[in-house]
Amino acid sequence: MKVSKETFSYEVTEDSQLLDSGIRLSPITIAYETLGELNEARDNAILICHAFSGDSHVAGFYEDDPQESNPGWWNFMVGPGKGINTDKYFIVCCNILGSCMGSTGPSSINPKTGKPYGLDFPMVTIGDMVVSQKQVLDHLGITRLHSVIGGSVGGMQVLEWCVRYPEMVKSAIPIATTMRHSALAIAFNEVARQAIMVDPNWNKGDYYQNPGPDLGLAVARMIGHVTYLSDEAMRRKFGRKRQDNKDFSFNFEANFQVESYLRYQGSKFAARFDANSVLYISKAADYFDLADKINTRESLQDLQGSHSKFLVISYTSDWLYPTYQAKELVQALKRTGQDVSFCEIEADCGHDAFLIKDSRLTNLLEGFLDGIEPS
Amino acid sequence: MKVSKETFSYEVTEDSQLLDSGIRLSPITIAYETLGELNEARDNAILICHAFSGDSHVAGFYEDDPQESNPGWWNFMVGPGKGINTDKYFIVCCNILGSCMGSTGPSSINPKTGKPYGLDFPMVTIGDMVVSQKQVLDHLGITRLHSVIGGSVGGMQVLEWCVRYPEMVKSAIPIATTMRHSALAIAFNEVARQAIMVDPNWNKGDYYQNPGPDLGLAVARMIGHVTYLSDEAMRRKFGRKRQDNKDFSFNFEANFQVESYLRYQGSKFAARFDANSVLYISKAADYFDLADKINTRESLQDLQGSHSKFLVISYTSDWLYPTYQAKELVQALKRTGQDVSFCEIEADCGHDAFLIKDSRLTNLLEGFLDGIEPS
């Protein structure tokens, strides 16, 4: 299945939507990819929202990748005859605002200066991300979504979609996510941010002409990576296995496989992702809060009167957004009269479980999507 | 109760004990404090082993502290009429080898160069720490311990004492500890080490003449601090409370109280502790493994034939050394014929619970210690 990366750019004028911070960011470019065909009734579109460091390349292969070496991040789930079936559905996936994978973010050129924004980039929220995705759907002529689906930070976008544009959302599948970050989740994000900001190469976000804060970014990713796994998964995968089965070296080399693995994950991430984007996206996730009505901001209470079908999914070993938080979400949705199904999947691989092929998740999604009536 | 800090220094000659790495470290100085009186039978001594960043100042106040502003770290537990009763027992607490609180460590002067060791300091193990504590007890004329007590890395020392010198240990109380680090615990330590080592001020450990890696060390401590707390404790203590109850600032200031708290803990720690000591002690904890017999190293199997009384204590919300690991320890001890009591304390404050005043722990320790027959 061949796909191509498209971009949609738009100007934000004085009277059009400002960011939640009250600042006007313009122009905004959103990179997106589509799979399948939009039907004539325009009622078979599904929006897939990616997680923290993901991108718009959700499935398939690019035209210029004849060896098919670069599949999308959810390739096992999305495609012809798969759980999210591109023979039936038209799939849209946008790179989030604030990221660095084609959409406008801190590494983009600030038209006022001709240089990358750096810390002059305004803070964006999950709501701002969703508003920019709405622009893409308007551009594509889509007014109603068969479903919005996403895991982790993608799941936050799913929930935000439901409260910002309830009339557009027929169904929603938030996976391994939360209505709001716990103190623990904020704490891990803050430590990751500090790891980046103490790297002198970070230079207050102004590093695009120089070597960037790769070392700090690698440490930040190592922290993130630990939170995506679970105690059980790490015991199974690494335990106390030593590198090359060698005895202890009695120095600070990586003696254990888990050390070597984390160092590799850290440096691999630093090679592909922008450190400032980590700062902005992590802050957006920390700010996200649909549990309480704060000032004029949206909350799940705004769903009162609207009717979407929800499938909430959590994983037993996810300690970043544990099942108790998914249950709180289910209760909050039910209080507003929504039709909510909930499934906790037994899995020992932690928060990232939804990115690992598993027929239980595939079957759940396929069955739920088939049960949504066309409008 | 006034105490004073003593030091004991000794030379390690060619034929005396080498470190587990095979290297000879000499001279070795161990800072220690004592409380109470050693009785004539010399059978009322209790050794208390401190945790990662602790010191020999376990309880009481120094003579030069008339305001009593600097109590020992376990002051609520140790003293006249307290859980560990200094009216009955003679308490010894040593700063661990590799630390920076008076005992020999990487910040000590290397006699060969006249400069601080830095990374020329040899790797030390939990076993090496225990061997150096034994030297202090020899110096004090103590041949049998009423009990050895410690939490976390202190608990590892307790277990190591039991296998290195089983004939000296009448009873042992390992608290919130493990027989060996899980992959998760190693992972957190490795991320903390990397946070220090990527700080350019670390300078491969050679920073004692210059500003040290305080920023990296602060990040390392923030990571550690998160693992010492629990999801529940952080929700109760911080939740999503904002600094000064202010609305979001939409910048990278500390918006949430938990962020501000962690930053404070990080910089406070950097002001009092040596970064290289964090590297060495964390590695010693990662290497520690009494579960399997690796080469000629000790394991709990070596307890076969000896008889100590054990009280193993874990906390429900400790996710660094969870209860399942304490239960594995209990099983391993029972297999060697030891007399083991086990108590899991219901507490939502995480790994550090043993450092928080709680009458349940106090009563447990008091009762257990009273039940040990004098030899």
Side-chain angles (χ1 to χ4, degrees), chain B residues 10 17 20 30 47 49 94-97 124-137 145 148 153-165 168-169 288:
Chain B
Y10 60 99
Q17 182 88 41
D20 279 344
I30 298 296
L47 179 70
C49 302
C94 302
N95 182 223
I96 54 178
L97 187 67
V124 294
T125 64
I126 301 289
D128 295 326
M129 296 172 187
V130 163
V131 169
S132 67
Q133 290 163 5
K134 162 81 159 51
Q135 299 285 331
V136 174
L137 295 190
L145 287 165
V148 192
V153 171
M156 296 179 188
Q157 296 160 54
V158 169
L159 296 174
E160 185 79 35
W161 258 99
C162 297
V163 295
R164 289 248 175 178
Y165 306 109
M168 285 183 69
V169 178
F288 180 69

Side-chain angles (χ1 to χ4, degrees), chain B residues 56-96:
Chain B
S56 58
H57 188 37
V58 59
F61 299 90
Y62 292 132
E63 290 287 347
D64 61 358
D65 178 20
Q67 305 295 321
E68 304 205 332
S69 58
N70 179 22
W73 55 267
W74 227 12
N75 205 44
F76 68 83
M77 181 63 80
V78 181
K82 296 184 182 176
I84 301 175
N85 191 346
T86 52
D87 292 336
K88 292 184 189 170
Y89 304 114
F90 178 65
I91 311 301
V92 182
C93 182
C94 302
N95 182 223
I96 54 178

Side-chain angles (χ1 to χ4, degrees), chain B residues 362-373:
Chain B
T362 305
N363 294 340
L364 268 175
L365 265 55
E366 186 175 17
F368 179 79
L369 292 174
D370 281 351
I372 308 298
E373 299 288 320

